[in-house]
Amino acid sequence: MLNAGPSKTGPMPSAAAVVLLCAGLSACALHWPPWRHRPPPAPTPVQELSIESAAVPAPQILQFWDRNTLLLDLSAVNGEGEVTLRAAAGPGWPVRLEFRVQPGSIQRLEVQGRERVLFEVPSQGAPVVLKLSPSAYLRDTPQITLRWSAADGSAR
């Protein structure tokens, strides 16, 4: 009775298994590869420092956290200008400060805190992040002044 003839259930289960396997694999393709994730959300602006300007309208300077570094986005400023930064009363100044600038819109950025620091901005290219040394200001520094200019040597 070992060779009783072809079984009635032989080819059908294997065809159904192939169809189910293909359907399962196509469902996995929506979530494959597993290491591919959504891009991180855009950083949300914060208001850690008070920004004061005598110019009307005041330049738009956004603030973002990048770990323990506060990034001030100066990519919207151009020409010449000046703003004064003041720390919040409670926590004081952030551990680190950095500035994002758009090459071509300004040529020089001057930061005056405990020390005076001059940054030269390239004339073209992608936005550049300029990192301020933590020794340029102390926790008890009353204010930091930012001056930018479009012409070489015109920052005071």
Side-chain angles (χ1 to χ4, degrees), residues 1-138:
M1 289 269 158
L2 291 175
N3 286 335
S7 171
K8 293 184 179 181
T9 60
M12 191 59 156
S14 63
V18 169
V19 169
L20 286 174
L21 180 64
C22 290
L25 288 176
S26 65
C28 289
L30 297 175
H31 301 290
W32 201 261
W35 56 85
R36 192 171 81 188
H37 300 285
R38 292 183 189 144
T44 55
V46 296
Q47 188 65 40
E48 294 295 321
L49 301 177
S50 167
I51 301 176
E52 301 166 3
S53 173
V56 177
Q60 180 182 3
I61 300 175
L62 298 176
Q63 304 171 41
F64 302 97
W65 278 112
D66 180 18
R67 297 187 183 178
N68 68 344
T69 304
L70 185 64
L71 171 71
L72 297 172
D73 190 358
L74 301 172
S75 58
V77 303
N78 57 21
E80 292 195 21
E82 179 179 327
V83 295
T84 302
L85 307 176
R86 296 192 198 289
W93 293 100
V95 174
R96 290 182 175 81
L97 286 173
E98 58 188 19
F99 310 98
R100 181 183 302 139
V101 295
Q102 179 64 45
S105 63
I106 62 173
Q107 189 171 17
R108 177 177 274 178
L109 175 65
E110 176 186 347
V111 181
Q112 178 68 51
R114 178 177 159 250
E115 298 174 354
R116 180 176 179 241
V117 180
L118 287 174
F119 293 107
E120 295 294 327
V121 180
S123 60
Q124 56 187 344
V128 177
V129 175
L130 307 170
K131 298 179 186 236
L132 185 64
S133 170
S135 66
Y137 60 96
L138 298 174

Side-chain angles (χ1 to χ4, degrees), residues 138-150:
L138 298 174
R139 286 191 79 62
D140 62 347
T141 301
Q143 67 185 26
I144 294 177
T145 304
L146 300 179
R147 292 183 189 100
W148 59 89
S149 63

